[in-house]
Amino acid sequence: MFLYSIWLSLEHLTRIWASRYGEIFITSGAIFDRDGIVGRDEDIHAQRMASTNGHARVAVPDRYYRSVARIDDGALRTISFVLSNDNNDHGVTWQDVKPVVLASIVQIEAIEFSGSLDLYPDLESAQINESRHGEDWDFSAGMSNFSASCK
């Protein structure tokens, strides 16, 4: 059985939202915070993969984040996710994958805390309507990861 990427499902869902809601804004990146202490780990503590040239070693993030924002009736609505960087098989159908995607929803401050980031620096938190459990975002139109990648 082919291992499906949960990130691929989130990519597909983001494309659906772009079609459904019009203009959306996406911020994605890597999180290097294996120790869980405030902020990004120092570079020297990052797990690294071996290179083919024997010289450079690429740092491997332990998680990835994605924050999606849209303007809706004059309000900024956001939803943010943090996904582990692993090869776990999360299933083939959207019904299999959807609970994992929903469980990965986090608050913006969780991403900012782990990555030493400021995702929306020009906005006060009171100006942002964050989805905490998927509300205000349509999760009904997902597809399997493989199907999504073939479009």
Side-chain angles (χ1 to χ4, degrees):
M1 180 172 168
F2 183 77
L3 288 177
Y4 291 98
S5 163
I6 194 71
W7 188 263
L8 183 58
S9 292
L10 189 55
E11 288 276 350
H12 175 67
L13 186 59
T14 304
R15 285 192 294 275
I16 289 171
W17 288 340
S19 295
R20 177 153 300 135
Y21 301 124
E23 189 172 56
I24 63 172
F25 305 91
I26 302 164
T27 305
S28 296
I31 296 175
F32 296 88
D33 184 31
R34 292 187 189 284
D35 62 14
I37 299 171
V38 177
R40 183 183 189 278
D41 292 344
E42 292 183 39
D43 289 345
I44 60 170
H45 298 299
Q47 178 180 343
R48 301 194 177 264
M49 60 185 246
S51 68
T52 56
N53 67 12
H55 299 290
R57 292 181 12 155
V58 176
V60 178
D62 60 313
R63 292 170 287 159
Y64 292 98
Y65 71 87
R66 170 164 288 200
S67 186
V68 183
R70 73 176 200 273
I71 306 292
D72 184 26
D73 293 329
L76 180 68
R77 300 200 186 282
T78 65
I79 190 166
S80 301
F81 305 86
V82 170
L83 300 168
S84 294
N85 182 16
D86 59 36
N87 288 325
N88 291 342
D89 183 358
H90 298 289
V92 177
T93 68
W94 177 239
Q95 289 72 29
D96 295 335
V97 175
K98 182 179 175 182
V100 180
V101 172
L102 288 171
S104 70
I105 296 172
V106 298
Q107 299 307 285
I108 294 167
E109 68 182 20
I111 296 169
E112 293 176 336
F113 172 84
S114 295
S116 297
L117 301 166
D118 190 357
L119 294 182
Y120 300 98
D122 295 332
L123 299 174
E124 299 293 325
S125 59
Q127 297 174 284
I128 301 171
N129 296 310
E130 280 192 84
S131 179
R132 297 186 180 269
H133 307 287
E135 66 277 356
D136 298 324
W137 295 85
D138 184 3
F139 283 83
S140 66
M143 294 172 49
S144 73
N145 303 347
F146 181 74
S147 298
S149 67
C150 295
K151 292 240 174 218

